[in-house]
Amino acid sequence: MPELPEVEIVARRLEQALRGATIDSALAPGINALKTYDPPLSALAGLRIAGVGRRGKNLVVRVEGGGGGGEAPSSGEGAEAAVGELALLIHLMSAGRLQLYDKPAGPRDRTSRLLLRLRDGRELRLREFGSKQAAWVKLLPAAQVERDEAVAKLGPEAWPDPPAPAALGRLLRAPRPLHGLLRDQRIIAGIGRSWVDEILWEAQLSPFKRGADLEEQELERLRAAIVRVLGGAIKHYEEVVSLPVPDKLPMPLRVHRHEGQPCPRCGATLEAVHFEDYTIAYCPPCQTDGRVLKDRRLSRLLK
Ligand SMILES: [Zn+2]
Protein backbone atom coordinates (compact mmCIF):
# COMPACT_ATOMS: atom_id res chain seq x y z
CA MET A 1 0.00 0.00 0.00
CA PRO A 2 1.41 3.38 -0.92
CA GLU A 3 2.10 5.40 2.23
CA LEU A 4 2.94 9.06 2.73
CA PRO A 5 6.36 9.08 1.00
CA GLU A 6 5.07 7.12 -2.01
CA VAL A 7 1.96 9.29 -2.42
CA GLU A 8 4.06 12.43 -1.95
CA ILE A 9 6.48 11.59 -4.76
CA VAL A 10 3.63 10.62 -7.10
CA ALA A 11 1.94 13.96 -6.34
CA ARG A 12 5.17 15.89 -6.97
CA ARG A 13 5.94 14.16 -10.26
CA LEU A 14 2.38 14.51 -11.55
CA GLU A 15 2.25 18.14 -10.45
CA GLN A 16 5.36 18.91 -12.51
CA ALA A 17 4.01 17.10 -15.57
CA LEU A 18 0.35 18.07 -15.44
CA ARG A 19 0.03 21.61 -14.17
CA GLY A 20 -1.74 23.69 -16.79
CA ALA A 21 -2.83 20.70 -18.92
CA THR A 22 -6.37 20.89 -20.25
CA ILE A 23 -8.73 17.95 -19.75
CA ASP A 24 -10.48 16.73 -22.87
CA SER A 25 -12.72 14.13 -21.25
CA ALA A 26 -13.05 12.00 -18.15
CA LEU A 27 -14.33 8.46 -17.83
CA ALA A 28 -14.79 5.98 -15.00
CA PRO A 29 -14.89 2.60 -16.77
CA GLY A 30 -15.95 -0.75 -15.41
CA ILE A 31 -17.08 -1.19 -11.86
CA ASN A 32 -17.55 2.24 -10.49
CA ALA A 33 -14.69 3.58 -8.44
CA LEU A 34 -16.36 6.98 -8.61
CA LYS A 35 -18.11 7.63 -5.29
CA THR A 36 -19.82 10.91 -6.21
CA TYR A 37 -22.26 11.93 -8.95
CA ASP A 38 -22.64 15.69 -8.51
CA PRO A 39 -20.84 17.38 -10.19
CA PRO A 40 -20.68 14.73 -12.95
CA LEU A 41 -17.35 13.71 -14.48
CA SER A 42 -18.40 15.52 -17.66
CA ALA A 43 -17.93 18.77 -15.74
CA LEU A 44 -14.17 18.24 -16.07
CA ALA A 45 -14.13 18.57 -19.88
CA GLY A 46 -12.34 21.73 -20.93
CA LEU A 47 -11.00 22.49 -17.45
CA ARG A 48 -7.34 22.83 -16.59
CA ILE A 49 -5.28 20.92 -14.02
CA ALA A 50 -4.18 23.46 -11.42
CA GLY A 51 -2.07 21.16 -9.31
CA VAL A 52 -1.62 17.76 -7.70
CA GLY A 53 -1.21 17.43 -3.96
CA ARG A 54 -1.46 14.97 -1.09
CA ARG A 55 -3.55 14.77 2.05
CA GLY A 56 -2.59 11.82 4.28
CA LYS A 57 -2.41 8.91 1.86
CA ASN A 58 -4.90 10.58 -0.51
CA LEU A 59 -4.06 12.31 -3.76
CA VAL A 60 -5.81 15.56 -4.64
CA VAL A 61 -5.91 16.70 -8.28
CA ARG A 62 -7.14 20.29 -8.38
CA VAL A 63 -8.88 21.47 -11.52
CA GLU A 64 -9.80 25.02 -12.48
CA GLY A 65 -12.03 26.58 -15.08
CA GLY A 66 -11.25 28.40 -18.30
CA GLY A 67 -9.12 26.40 -20.72
CA GLY A 68 -6.80 29.29 -21.60
CA GLY A 69 -7.56 30.74 -25.04
CA GLY A 70 -11.07 31.83 -24.26
CA GLU A 71 -12.60 28.37 -24.12
CA ALA A 72 -15.65 28.24 -21.95
CA PRO A 73 -15.67 25.37 -19.48
CA SER A 74 -18.18 22.72 -20.43
CA SER A 75 -20.82 23.01 -17.78
CA GLY A 76 -22.89 19.90 -18.52
CA GLU A 77 -25.28 19.49 -15.65
CA GLY A 78 -22.65 20.65 -13.20
CA ALA A 79 -23.20 24.37 -13.23
CA GLU A 80 -21.06 24.47 -10.08
CA ALA A 81 -18.02 23.67 -12.20
CA ALA A 82 -18.09 27.08 -13.80
CA VAL A 83 -18.22 28.79 -10.42
CA GLY A 84 -15.20 27.48 -8.57
CA GLU A 85 -12.42 24.97 -8.61
CA LEU A 86 -13.06 21.25 -8.57
CA ALA A 87 -10.90 18.55 -7.09
CA LEU A 88 -10.51 14.82 -7.61
CA LEU A 89 -9.90 13.18 -4.25
CA ILE A 90 -8.28 9.79 -4.86
CA HIS A 91 -7.41 6.95 -2.52
CA LEU A 92 -5.18 4.29 -4.05
CA MET A 93 -5.89 1.75 -1.28
CA SER A 94 -3.52 -1.21 -1.50
CA ALA A 95 -3.19 -1.82 -5.22
CA GLY A 96 -4.09 1.42 -7.01
CA ARG A 97 -1.67 3.57 -8.98
CA LEU A 98 -2.17 6.98 -10.55
CA GLN A 99 -0.04 7.15 -13.66
CA LEU A 100 0.46 9.36 -16.67
CA TYR A 101 0.70 7.84 -20.12
CA ASP A 102 1.56 9.29 -23.50
CA LYS A 103 -1.37 7.56 -25.18
CA PRO A 104 -4.94 6.58 -24.23
CA ALA A 105 -5.55 3.10 -22.82
CA GLY A 106 -6.52 0.38 -25.26
CA PRO A 107 -10.05 -1.09 -25.22
CA ARG A 108 -8.83 -4.27 -23.51
CA ASP A 109 -7.38 -2.47 -20.53
CA ARG A 110 -9.20 -3.84 -17.48
CA THR A 111 -7.18 -2.19 -14.78
CA SER A 112 -8.39 1.37 -15.32
CA ARG A 113 -10.77 2.87 -12.77
CA LEU A 114 -10.57 6.48 -13.95
CA LEU A 115 -9.27 7.97 -17.19
CA LEU A 116 -8.53 11.65 -17.68
CA ARG A 117 -7.83 12.31 -21.34
CA LEU A 118 -5.84 15.46 -21.92
CA ARG A 119 -6.00 17.78 -24.95
CA ASP A 120 -2.33 17.11 -25.68
CA GLY A 121 -2.99 13.36 -26.14
CA ARG A 122 -1.70 12.19 -22.77
CA GLU A 123 -3.88 10.28 -20.34
CA LEU A 124 -3.88 10.22 -16.54
CA ARG A 125 -5.05 6.80 -15.39
CA LEU A 126 -6.06 5.45 -12.03
CA ARG A 127 -5.26 1.76 -12.39
CA GLU A 128 -5.73 -1.03 -9.92
CA PHE A 129 -4.08 -4.42 -9.89
CA GLY A 130 -5.29 -7.68 -8.35
CA SER A 131 -8.78 -8.92 -7.66
CA LYS A 132 -9.90 -6.38 -5.07
CA GLN A 133 -11.50 -3.21 -6.34
CA ALA A 134 -10.97 -0.85 -3.48
CA ALA A 135 -9.39 2.31 -4.91
CA TRP A 136 -11.86 5.18 -5.12
CA VAL A 137 -12.33 8.65 -6.52
CA LYS A 138 -14.54 11.57 -5.52
CA LEU A 139 -15.14 14.63 -7.69
CA LEU A 140 -15.84 17.52 -5.34
CA PRO A 141 -15.89 21.30 -5.31
CA ALA A 142 -12.32 22.05 -4.21
CA ALA A 143 -13.55 23.85 -1.09
CA GLN A 144 -15.22 20.63 0.10
CA VAL A 145 -12.11 18.45 0.12
CA GLU A 146 -11.19 19.30 3.70
CA ARG A 147 -14.76 18.63 4.78
CA ASP A 148 -15.03 15.27 3.04
CA GLU A 149 -15.25 12.45 5.57
CA ALA A 150 -12.12 10.78 4.19
CA VAL A 151 -10.10 13.92 4.92
CA ALA A 152 -11.96 15.46 7.85
CA LYS A 153 -11.33 12.42 10.05
CA LEU A 154 -7.57 12.39 9.42
CA GLY A 155 -5.22 13.23 12.24
CA PRO A 156 -2.38 15.72 11.76
CA GLU A 157 0.05 15.03 8.92
CA ALA A 158 3.01 12.86 9.94
CA TRP A 159 5.31 14.85 7.67
CA PRO A 160 6.86 17.42 7.30
CA ASP A 161 5.86 18.75 10.71
CA PRO A 162 4.28 16.17 13.01
CA PRO A 163 2.92 17.32 16.38
CA ALA A 164 5.50 18.33 18.99
CA PRO A 165 6.32 15.64 21.59
CA ALA A 166 3.74 16.77 24.16
CA ALA A 167 0.94 16.94 21.58
CA LEU A 168 2.06 13.65 20.05
CA GLY A 169 1.87 12.14 23.52
CA ARG A 170 -1.73 13.30 23.89
CA LEU A 171 -2.63 11.76 20.52
CA LEU A 172 -1.00 8.45 21.41
CA ARG A 173 -2.30 8.26 24.98
CA ALA A 174 -4.17 4.99 24.60
CA PRO A 175 -3.72 1.47 25.97
CA ARG A 176 -2.90 0.17 22.50
CA PRO A 177 0.41 -0.93 20.96
CA LEU A 178 2.37 1.77 19.17
CA HIS A 179 2.45 -0.25 15.98
CA GLY A 180 -1.32 0.05 15.63
CA LEU A 181 -1.61 3.59 16.96
CA LEU A 182 0.86 5.01 14.46
CA ARG A 183 -0.97 3.35 11.57
CA ASP A 184 -4.32 4.76 12.70
CA GLN A 185 -4.98 7.58 10.22
CA ARG A 186 -7.36 9.28 12.65
CA ILE A 187 -4.47 9.70 15.09
CA ILE A 188 -1.71 10.67 12.67
CA ALA A 189 -1.98 10.67 8.87
CA GLY A 190 0.35 8.99 6.40
CA ILE A 191 2.06 6.06 8.13
CA GLY A 192 1.32 2.44 7.20
CA ARG A 193 2.67 -1.05 7.64
CA SER A 194 6.02 -0.51 5.97
CA TRP A 195 7.18 2.79 7.39
CA VAL A 196 5.93 2.12 10.91
CA ASP A 197 8.57 -0.61 11.29
CA GLU A 198 11.30 1.76 10.11
CA ILE A 199 10.12 4.56 12.41
CA LEU A 200 9.95 2.36 15.53
CA TRP A 201 13.36 0.88 14.77
CA GLU A 202 14.80 4.36 14.26
CA ALA A 203 13.27 5.50 17.57
CA GLN A 204 14.38 2.28 19.32
CA LEU A 205 10.88 1.64 20.61
CA SER A 206 9.03 -1.65 20.89
CA PRO A 207 6.14 -2.04 18.43
CA PHE A 208 4.19 -3.49 21.37
CA LYS A 209 4.79 -0.71 23.84
CA ARG A 210 1.49 0.96 24.69
CA GLY A 211 1.09 4.56 23.57
CA ALA A 212 -0.04 5.57 27.06
CA ASP A 213 3.26 4.34 28.51
CA LEU A 214 5.55 6.58 26.44
CA GLU A 215 7.83 8.85 28.40
CA GLU A 216 8.81 12.34 27.37
CA GLN A 217 12.19 11.34 26.05
CA GLU A 218 10.65 8.49 24.07
CA LEU A 219 8.15 10.88 22.51
CA GLU A 220 11.00 13.14 21.46
CA ARG A 221 12.79 10.20 19.86
CA LEU A 222 9.60 9.06 18.16
CA ARG A 223 8.84 12.47 16.68
CA ALA A 224 12.41 12.85 15.42
CA ALA A 225 12.27 9.35 13.91
CA ILE A 226 9.01 10.10 12.07
CA VAL A 227 10.55 13.21 10.49
CA ARG A 228 13.84 11.52 9.65
CA VAL A 229 12.41 8.29 8.23
CA LEU A 230 9.61 9.79 6.12
CA GLY A 231 11.77 12.74 5.02
CA GLY A 232 14.61 10.36 4.14
CA ALA A 233 12.32 8.21 2.00
CA ILE A 234 11.02 11.26 0.11
CA LYS A 235 14.57 12.51 -0.43
CA HIS A 236 15.52 9.08 -1.80
CA TYR A 237 12.54 9.08 -4.17
CA GLU A 238 13.43 12.60 -5.31
CA GLU A 239 16.79 11.22 -6.43
CA VAL A 240 15.68 7.99 -8.08
CA VAL A 241 12.06 8.36 -9.24
CA SER A 242 11.19 10.04 -12.50
CA LEU A 243 8.23 9.79 -14.85
CA PRO A 244 6.79 7.36 -15.62
CA VAL A 245 6.60 6.53 -11.91
CA PRO A 246 7.13 2.74 -11.68
CA ASP A 247 4.35 0.48 -10.35
CA LYS A 248 6.66 -0.58 -7.55
CA LEU A 249 8.73 2.17 -6.00
CA PRO A 250 12.25 1.34 -4.83
CA MET A 251 11.45 1.68 -1.12
CA PRO A 252 14.60 2.32 0.94
CA LEU A 253 13.54 -0.06 3.74
CA ARG A 254 16.10 -1.31 6.22
CA VAL A 255 14.03 -3.30 8.71
CA HIS A 256 10.59 -4.01 7.25
CA ARG A 257 10.74 -7.21 5.14
CA HIS A 258 14.32 -7.68 6.34
CA GLU A 259 13.69 -10.25 9.09
CA GLY A 260 16.49 -12.78 9.30
CA GLN A 261 19.03 -10.19 8.22
CA PRO A 262 21.44 -8.27 10.47
CA CYS A 263 20.21 -5.10 12.17
CA PRO A 264 21.85 -2.13 10.44
CA ARG A 265 22.55 -0.61 13.87
CA CYS A 266 23.72 -3.45 16.12
CA GLY A 267 24.15 -6.45 13.82
CA ALA A 268 21.73 -8.73 15.71
CA THR A 269 19.28 -10.74 13.63
CA LEU A 270 16.07 -8.86 12.84
CA GLU A 271 12.97 -10.76 13.97
CA ALA A 272 9.36 -10.65 12.83
CA VAL A 273 5.89 -11.25 14.20
CA HIS A 274 3.53 -12.57 11.55
CA PHE A 275 -0.10 -11.58 11.45
CA GLU A 276 -2.71 -12.72 8.98
CA ASP A 277 -2.08 -9.98 6.45
CA TYR A 278 1.01 -8.18 7.61
CA THR A 279 4.30 -8.63 9.41
CA ILE A 280 6.00 -6.58 12.09
CA ALA A 281 9.79 -6.57 11.79
CA TYR A 282 12.01 -5.34 14.62
CA CYS A 283 15.39 -5.68 16.27
CA PRO A 284 15.25 -7.35 19.73
CA PRO A 285 18.37 -5.71 21.26
CA CYS A 286 17.46 -2.26 19.87
CA GLN A 287 13.72 -2.33 20.59
CA THR A 288 12.50 -4.99 23.02
CA ASP A 289 15.33 -5.40 25.54
CA GLY A 290 16.41 -8.47 23.64
CA ARG A 291 13.06 -10.26 23.90
CA VAL A 292 12.03 -12.20 20.80
CA LEU A 293 8.32 -11.97 20.16
CA LYS A 294 7.49 -14.35 17.37
CA ASP A 295 4.04 -15.31 18.43
CA ARG A 296 1.33 -12.72 18.35
CA ARG A 297 -0.45 -14.16 21.39
CA LEU A 298 2.77 -13.76 23.31
CA SER A 299 3.35 -10.27 21.89
CA ARG A 300 0.05 -9.09 23.35
CA LEU A 301 1.36 -9.76 26.79
CA LEU A 302 4.45 -7.66 26.33
CA LYS A 303 4.81 -3.94 26.10
ZN1 LIG B 1 19.65 -3.63 16.48
Side-chain angles (χ1 to χ4, degrees):
M1 148 119 38
E3 300 175 28
L4 189 154
E6 292 74 40
V7 177
E8 176 72 21
I9 195 68
V10 167
R12 289 184 187 184
R13 291 296 177 262
L14 292 178
E15 156 93 14
Q16 289 158 356
L18 287 172
R19 198 201 299 203
T22 301
I23 297 168
D24 190 56
S25 62
L27 275 173
I31 289 181
N32 222 340
L34 187 66
K35 300 293 181 206
T36 53
Y37 56 90
D38 183 25
L41 272 187
S42 60
L44 291 170
L47 303 189
R48 216 172 35 222
I49 295 178
V52 182
R54 175 192 64 76
R55 192 68 175 80
K57 299 182 196 171
N58 302 275
L59 283 157
V60 183
V61 179
R62 285 182 298 109
V63 175
E64 63 191 4
E71 303 163 35
S74 156
S75 57
E77 296 138 57
E80 287 282 309
V83 178
E85 286 194 352
L86 296 178
L88 286 161
L89 177 64
I90 300 170
H91 201 300
L92 302 171
M93 300 304 286
S94 58
R97 299 290 182 269
L98 187 65
Q99 288 163 318
L100 183 61
Y101 294 87
D102 287 336
K103 291 183 190 141
R108 284 195 209 93
D109 173 69
R110 289 177 190 278
T111 59
S112 291
R113 304 284 175 260
L114 177 79
L115 303 169
L116 280 193
R117 294 194 172 139
L118 306 177
R119 285 268 159 89
D120 58 22
R122 294 181 298 168
E123 187 172 79
L124 182 65
R125 248 175 264 166
L126 170 63
R127 304 174 72 213
E128 192 170 28
F129 303 94
S131 53
K132 272 191 206 160
Q133 302 206 356
W136 54 256
V137 180
K138 294 178 184 178
L139 177 59
L140 304 164
Q144 272 181 31
V145 168
E146 286 296 318
R147 274 176 275 152
D148 184 84
E149 55 170 5
V151 172
K153 71 180 183 195
L154 293 176
E157 291 282 335
W159 183 90
D161 187 25
L168 187 62
R170 285 192 291 277
L171 288 169
L172 297 174
R173 196 175 294 154
R176 288 166 58 197
L178 273 181
H179 194 274
L181 285 170
L182 290 171
R183 288 183 294 119
D184 186 336
Q185 304 304 298
R186 296 164 300 181
I187 292 175
I188 187 162
I191 301 167
R193 292 167 185 178
S194 298
W195 293 110
V196 69
D197 281 355
E198 305 293 313
I199 288 166
L200 290 170
W201 176 84
E202 181 76 30
Q204 295 186 248
L205 289 169
S206 167
F208 305 102
K209 188 177 182 90
R210 300 185 320 165
D213 295 339
L214 285 171
E215 286 163 20
E216 198 180 321
Q217 207 186 22
E218 293 174 319
L219 285 162
E220 283 169 16
R221 286 210 313 268
L222 179 58
R223 185 188 183 279
I226 292 171
V227 173
R228 201 175 316 139
V229 167
L230 298 179
I234 293 166
K235 187 162 176 279
H236 172 75
Y237 292 146
E238 273 291 351
E239 287 162 11
V240 302
V241 174
S242 54
L243 284 172
V245 174
D247 288 345
K248 280 203 172 203
L249 286 171
M251 297 174 78
L253 299 169
R254 301 202 284 170
V255 177
H256 188 70
R257 294 194 211 126
H258 286 251
E259 58 266 29
Q261 296 175 25
C263 167
R265 184 189 291 117
C266 74
T269 302
L270 296 173
E271 298 288 345
V273 187
H274 298 277
F275 292 81
E276 210 164 291
D277 51 358
Y278 67 103
T279 296
I280 299 176
Y282 68 98
C283 172
C286 291
Q287 294 176 258
T288 58
D289 295 327
R291 284 173 295 184
V292 176
L293 324 162
K294 281 197 173 171
D295 184 293
R296 64 175 166 158
R297 283 163 300 173
L298 172 67
S299 351
R300 283 210 193 104
L301 305 174
L302 298 160
K303 299 176 206 167

Short mmCIF file of all heavy atoms in Angstrom, two decimals, residues 26 39-46 74-78 139:
data_model
loop_
_atom_site.label_atom_id
_atom_site.label_comp_id
_atom_site.label_asym_id
_atom_site.label_seq_id
_atom_site.Cartn_x
_atom_site.Cartn_y
_atom_site.Cartn_z
N ALA A 26 -13.30 12.85 -19.31
CA ALA A 26 -13.05 12.00 -18.15
C ALA A 26 -14.03 10.84 -18.16
O ALA A 26 -15.20 11.00 -18.49
CB ALA A 26 -13.21 12.82 -16.87
N PRO A 39 -20.71 17.24 -8.74
CA PRO A 39 -20.84 17.38 -10.19
C PRO A 39 -20.48 16.10 -10.94
O PRO A 39 -19.70 15.28 -10.43
CB PRO A 39 -19.83 18.49 -10.52
CG PRO A 39 -18.85 18.45 -9.40
CD PRO A 39 -19.60 18.02 -8.19
N PRO A 40 -21.01 15.92 -12.16
CA PRO A 40 -20.68 14.73 -12.95
C PRO A 40 -19.27 14.85 -13.52
O PRO A 40 -18.72 15.95 -13.61
CB PRO A 40 -21.72 14.78 -14.08
CG PRO A 40 -22.03 16.23 -14.24
CD PRO A 40 -21.91 16.85 -12.87
N LEU A 41 -18.70 13.69 -13.90
CA LEU A 41 -17.35 13.71 -14.48
C LEU A 41 -17.27 14.59 -15.72
O LEU A 41 -16.23 15.17 -16.03
CB LEU A 41 -16.93 12.28 -14.87
CG LEU A 41 -16.25 11.41 -13.82
CD1 LEU A 41 -15.78 10.11 -14.48
CD2 LEU A 41 -15.07 12.12 -13.16
N SER A 42 -18.39 14.70 -16.44
CA SER A 42 -18.40 15.52 -17.66
C SER A 42 -18.08 16.98 -17.37
O SER A 42 -17.67 17.73 -18.26
CB SER A 42 -19.74 15.39 -18.38
OG SER A 42 -20.78 15.86 -17.52
N ALA A 43 -18.24 17.39 -16.12
CA ALA A 43 -17.93 18.77 -15.74
C ALA A 43 -16.44 19.08 -15.89
O ALA A 43 -16.04 20.23 -15.93
CB ALA A 43 -18.37 19.04 -14.30
N LEU A 44 -15.62 18.02 -15.98
CA LEU A 44 -14.17 18.24 -16.07
C LEU A 44 -13.71 18.63 -17.48
O LEU A 44 -12.63 19.18 -17.66
CB LEU A 44 -13.42 16.97 -15.64
CG LEU A 44 -13.50 16.62 -14.15
CD1 LEU A 44 -12.92 15.23 -13.92
CD2 LEU A 44 -12.74 17.66 -13.33
N ALA A 45 -14.55 18.32 -18.50
CA ALA A 45 -14.13 18.57 -19.88
C ALA A 45 -13.85 20.05 -20.08
O ALA A 45 -14.65 20.91 -19.72
CB ALA A 45 -15.22 18.09 -20.84
N GLY A 46 -12.71 20.34 -20.64
CA GLY A 46 -12.34 21.73 -20.93
C GLY A 46 -11.68 22.45 -19.78
O GLY A 46 -11.17 23.55 -19.95
N SER A 74 -16.94 23.44 -20.15
CA SER A 74 -18.18 22.72 -20.43
C SER A 74 -18.93 22.55 -19.13
O SER A 74 -18.42 21.98 -18.18
CB SER A 74 -17.82 21.35 -21.03
OG SER A 74 -18.86 20.45 -20.80
N SER A 75 -20.13 23.04 -19.06
CA SER A 75 -20.82 23.01 -17.78
C SER A 75 -21.59 21.71 -17.59
O SER A 75 -21.72 21.22 -16.49
CB SER A 75 -21.77 24.19 -17.66
OG SER A 75 -22.68 24.17 -18.72
N GLY A 76 -22.08 21.10 -18.67
CA GLY A 76 -22.89 19.90 -18.52
C GLY A 76 -24.01 20.19 -17.55
O GLY A 76 -24.59 21.27 -17.56
N GLU A 77 -24.27 19.22 -16.67
CA GLU A 77 -25.28 19.49 -15.65
C GLU A 77 -24.65 20.16 -14.44
O GLU A 77 -25.32 20.63 -13.56
CB GLU A 77 -25.96 18.18 -15.21
CG GLU A 77 -26.73 17.51 -16.31
CD GLU A 77 -26.50 16.01 -16.31
OE1 GLU A 77 -26.77 15.40 -15.27
OE2 GLU A 77 -26.02 15.48 -17.33
N GLY A 78 -23.33 20.14 -14.39
CA GLY A 78 -22.65 20.65 -13.20
C GLY A 78 -22.37 22.12 -13.29
O GLY A 78 -21.25 22.54 -13.54
N LEU A 139 -15.26 13.32 -7.04
CA LEU A 139 -15.14 14.63 -7.69
C LEU A 139 -15.94 15.61 -6.85
O LEU A 139 -17.15 15.46 -6.69
CB LEU A 139 -15.67 14.58 -9.13
CG LEU A 139 -15.65 15.92 -9.87
CD1 LEU A 139 -14.24 16.50 -9.94
CD2 LEU A 139 -16.23 15.77 -11.28
#
